[in-house]
Amino acid sequence: MPRFLIISLIVTCLTISSCGKATGYLLGAAAGVAVVSAIQDDDDDEKVIFLPPPTGTGTGTIDIDAYEQGVFSIVNTERALQGAAPLEWDNAVAAVARAHSECQRDHDGFYHVCPYGHGVNPGDRLTAAGIAYLSLGENIARGQDLPAAVMNAWMDSAGHRANILNPEFTHIGVGLAVPGYHWTQVFIWKP
């Protein structure tokens, strides 16, 4: 049975038991405290993930780049647990993902096919940005306020999970828009 172990650098230690594969994450630490997540899979192999510490000024602001990178890190951890190659971060794809998240935030929407002119579908958005690809996938979510929370939601959904673990994809970009926590992951197979 996999166990999730979260250790903050302030001597806090918490163990959680779960059924099935190691696909869940838990975050929690005071601002400025780095969090290490050690995951033990069904074969008792331990995987260690360094997650960014909670960020912000105490005024309700977050470090969007760090949250996006947190999702990227968890995606590659999930892929490693399933024997899939890691994805490479692509800044241009991330800009497309963030623009889509911002559009959904600005129009209080939740959609893959956008009615507001920045590209009707994910392929149009990538093409408009000059990004070549052989295939693509897109995951969207809204409301989850931490990288771990949105990844849990996506990994609990068969279609979203299939995109995350698809061995055909080679690159990823993640976009977040706040307030409202609008998330977009764009996966591509780059030629």
Side-chain angles (χ1 to χ4, degrees), residues 115-145:
Y116 297 103
H118 77 278
V120 173
N121 63 51
D124 291 340
R125 294 189 284 274
L126 290 169
T127 300
I131 300 167
Y133 63 93
L134 298 172
S135 65
L136 71 91
E138 180 179 79
N139 290 343
I140 60 173
R142 181 165 103 176
Q144 297 85 359
D145 64 353

Side-chain angles (χ1 to χ4, degrees), residues 2-44:
R3 294 182 303 258
F4 303 99
L5 177 65
I6 306 298
I7 306 167
S8 78
L9 296 179
I10 299 182
V11 199
T12 304
C13 181
L14 173 67
T15 303
I16 299 173
S17 295
S18 174
C19 298
K21 292 286 183 191
T23 60
Y25 296 87
L26 177 68
L27 290 175
V33 177
V35 176
V36 177
S37 175
I39 300 172
Q40 202 159 23
D41 64 17
D42 289 338
D43 299 325
D44 282 337

Side-chain angles (χ1 to χ4, degrees), residues 37 46 61 78 89 117 137 144 158 165 170:
S37 175
E46 190 172 275
T61 62
E78 289 290 357
W89 181 264
Q144 297 85 359
L165 300 178
T170 57

